[in-house]
Amino acid sequence: MGCDGGTIPKRHELVKGPKKVDKDAELVAQWNYCTLSQEILRRPIVACELGRLYNKDAVIEFLLDKSAEKALGKAASHIKSIKNVTELKLSDNPAWEGDKGNTKGDKHDDLQRARFICPVVGLEMNGRHRFCFLRCCGCVFSERALKEIKAEVCHTCGAAFQEDDVIMLNGTKEDVDVLKTRMEERRLRAKLEKKTKKPKAAESVSKPDVSEEAPGPSKVKTGKPEEASLDSREKKTNLAPKSTAMNESSSGKAGKPPCGATKRSIADSEESEAYKSLFTTHSSAKRSKEESAHWVTHTSYCF
């Protein structure tokens, strides 16, 4: 119903065109929220090989629970393991206060302010400027710093890097296509390296160690076989008497007493009678049966 009483509808009310996308809201969503869980980015923050930002906890939960079919899981379908993401080293913005000054909710939030800045140039990471990170070390800085200070070493930590290690954060469709081709080439290269390493490891296990079996040239004296046999016989004959002598000495020690250790009775010795009377073998120590005492034990059982 409607259009009565002289109301004239306008064209934009009747014809529905394409919806206008708020660029500021889109930038805020890309740079301040996790692509996978849609939560606010909290450290540790990681980035994939396509330049998207994630919370590390959300990535770990996604890798552990792949059974649940989620619409947001498509954004991280290229992440197969935790090795496919890089933890970022971000520089805090000293001018950013966050929600500290807006406790009552009556303060205007400046969307141009960002939590992190470029440590080289000082640009804020709010989406207005292009930022990148190095896959080898995880340091984040602006593209302007990379262009102005040309070097093959990281500006913050000093690690060496190549062109393939530079990944743009939240880049355009063209940037994402280039990064996707690099990612596929990198993964194919890693698979080929693994395949080449496996046969090499199998060969090293199957082949015996040459160094252990033949450490060097043999030290055996070269000569006639007759001389070698004679030398071996002489060695055997020299070793035989030594072994017999050792056996005799050992048996003699065990069986016969050593010389000078023969037992002698004290009665046959030439000592004095007083000295001999100290021993039990003396005649004075021996008693007759009558002189010997007869001991009787007293117990209650005898009576």
Side-chain angles (χ1 to χ4, degrees):
M1 304 299 288
C3 294
D4 54 348
T7 58
I8 302 171
K10 295 181 180 179
R11 184 179 182 280
H12 72 273
E13 295 176 353
L14 298 173
V15 180
K16 293 183 179 180
K19 293 181 180 180
K20 293 182 180 180
V21 179
D22 189 0
K23 291 184 178 180
D24 293 335
E26 188 178 358
L27 291 175
V28 169
Q30 285 182 347
W31 292 93
N32 295 329
Y33 290 87
C34 174
T35 309
L36 189 60
S37 63
Q38 299 299 316
E39 296 178 356
I40 297 174
L41 290 172
R42 295 184 181 87
R43 283 177 171 162
I45 300 170
V46 296
C48 64
E49 293 173 308
L50 300 181
R52 295 166 185 163
L53 299 172
Y54 306 89
N55 286 328
K56 193 173 183 179
D57 299 338
V59 175
I60 293 170
E61 289 177 3
F62 169 73
L63 293 172
L64 293 174
D65 185 18
K66 288 185 177 180
S67 60
E69 295 181 358
K70 299 178 181 178
L72 296 173
K74 295 179 182 179
S77 59
H78 60 283
I79 300 174
K80 305 299 181 183
S81 68
I82 198 68
K83 292 181 181 179
N84 298 138
V85 295
T86 306
E87 188 171 345
L88 301 180
K89 298 176 183 177
L90 298 162
S91 302
D92 293 325
N93 185 6
W96 187 73
E97 297 179 356
D99 296 334
K100 293 178 182 178
N102 193 13
T103 55
K104 296 180 180 180
D106 56 350
K107 189 177 179 181
H108 173 68
D109 292 333
D110 189 3
L111 298 176
Q112 301 298 323
R113 282 290 166 89
R115 293 169 58 191
F116 310 109
I117 60 171
C118 173
V120 181
V121 184
L123 296 174
E124 294 186 356
M125 198 173 75
N126 53 9
R128 300 292 179 184
H129 308 282
R130 289 165 63 87
F131 272 73
C132 59
F133 76 95
L134 299 180
R135 200 172 56 86
C136 56
C137 60
C139 295
V140 180
F141 44 85
S142 62
E143 189 183 23
R144 185 185 295 181
L146 188 67
K147 288 181 178 179
E148 290 182 358
I149 307 171
K150 294 182 180 180
E152 296 179 355
V153 178
C154 178
H155 301 318
T156 54
C157 66
F161 68 92
Q162 299 176 357
E163 291 183 2
D164 293 342
D165 296 330
V166 180
I167 297 176
M168 299 302 299
L169 290 171
N170 294 324
T172 59
K173 290 182 179 179
E174 296 176 357
D175 295 334
V176 173
D177 293 337
V178 172
L179 292 173
K180 191 176 286 186
T181 53
R182 286 183 185 177
M183 178 184 69
E184 291 172 356
E185 290 175 359
R186 200 180 298 117
R187 292 183 180 181
L188 284 172
R189 204 181 306 129
K191 285 182 180 179
L192 292 172
E193 287 178 0
K194 284 183 179 180
K195 288 180 180 179
T196 53
K197 283 180 181 179
K198 284 181 180 179
K200 287 182 180 179
E203 287 177 2
S204 62
V205 171
S206 61
K207 287 182 180 180
D209 295 336
V210 180
S211 59
E212 293 180 359
E213 292 184 359
S218 59
K219 296 182 180 179
V220 181
K221 293 181 180 180
T222 57
K224 294 180 180 180
E226 295 177 358
E227 294 178 359
S229 61
L230 288 171
D231 294 337
S232 61
R233 287 177 186 174
E234 287 178 0
K235 288 179 181 179
K236 287 180 180 178
T237 52
N238 292 331
L239 290 170
K242 289 181 181 179
S243 61
T244 53
M246 291 292 289
N247 292 331
E248 287 176 359
S249 62
S250 61
S251 62
K253 287 178 183 178
K256 296 179 181 179
C259 60
T262 55
K263 291 183 179 181
R264 294 185 301 168
S265 62
I266 297 169
D268 297 337
S269 62
E270 297 179 355
E271 301 292 336
S272 62
E273 291 294 330
Y275 180 75
K276 290 179 182 180
S277 63
L278 296 173
F279 300 94
T280 56
T281 55
H282 193 256
S283 59
S284 62
K286 294 177 181 180
R287 296 180 180 179
S288 61
K289 292 182 180 180
E290 296 175 356
E291 293 177 354
S292 61
H294 179 68
W295 299 96
V296 179
T297 57
H298 176 73
T299 58
S300 58
Y301 298 106
C302 297
F303 299 100

